[in-house]
């Protein structure tokens, strides 16, 4: 999708996030001198074309009190990982879930699910629920706890 000047200005205006106001598209439109509906339409077109993948909130889990954040990694039978991964991803306490290739013998895990809790015990209880769901298709798992907050950023345009 070729970008015109309005699209470039729109991306530049939103790459740090949408304004935290009741009507963010109208606020961005006001900054750019265009109607909020045009902002909404342009962002929708970028989503549809695949230029951007999603528009959503990126919460700071630590500020919300979720200080025990762990990536749970699972060694799941390959013939079942897709179906079981869908079920794991649908759990309310899983923020994201995806399949990744194994790197045997050092890394046998092929299913990843991010868990957030106020305590490690809470995260471990969530992992136990996943283990029950996976049943005998799961051969092993670990929880890799976060040790630092990494800066999350969206699309950034650079001038060439």
């Amino acid at each position: 999708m070729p970008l015109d000047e309005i699209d470039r200005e729109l991306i530049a205006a939103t790459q740090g996030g949408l304004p935290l106001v009741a009507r963010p598209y109208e606020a961005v439109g006001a900054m750019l001198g265009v109607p909020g509906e045009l902002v909404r339409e342009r962002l929708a077109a970028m989503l549809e074309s695949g230029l951007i993948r999603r528009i959503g909130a990126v919460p700071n889990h630590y500020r919300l009190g979720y200080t025990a954040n762990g990536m749970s990694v699972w060694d799941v039978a390959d013939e079942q990982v897709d179906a079981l991964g869908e079920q794991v991803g649908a759990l309310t306490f899983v923020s994201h879930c995806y399949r990744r290739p194994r790197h045997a013998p050092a890394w046998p895990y092929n299913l990843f699910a991010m868990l957030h809790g106020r305590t490690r015990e809470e995260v471990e209880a969530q992992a136990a629920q996943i283990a029950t769901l996976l049943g005998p298709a799961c051969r092993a798992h670990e929880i890799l706890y976060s040790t630092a907050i990494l800066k999350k950023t969206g699309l950034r345009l650079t001038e060439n």
Side-chain angles (χ1 to χ4, degrees), residues 8 26 34 37 60 62 71 73-74 76 90 94 98 123 145:
R8 287 185 175 282
E26 284 74 12
V34 300
E37 185 59 31
N60 181 324
Y62 289 87
M71 178 60 74
V73 294
W74 306 85
V76 178
V94 173
Y98 46 91
V123 170
Y145 287 97

Side-chain angles (χ1 to χ4, degrees), residues 52-90:
I52 58 178
R53 289 182 289 173
R54 65 185 170 95
I55 298 171
V58 180
N60 181 324
H61 297 98
Y62 289 87
R63 290 178 111 182
L64 295 172
Y66 293 92
T67 56
N69 303 294
M71 178 60 74
S72 62
V73 294
W74 306 85
D75 176 8
V76 178
D78 289 327
E79 62 276 3
Q80 294 178 277
V81 69
D82 291 333
L84 289 170
E86 289 284 335
Q87 293 176 42
V88 171

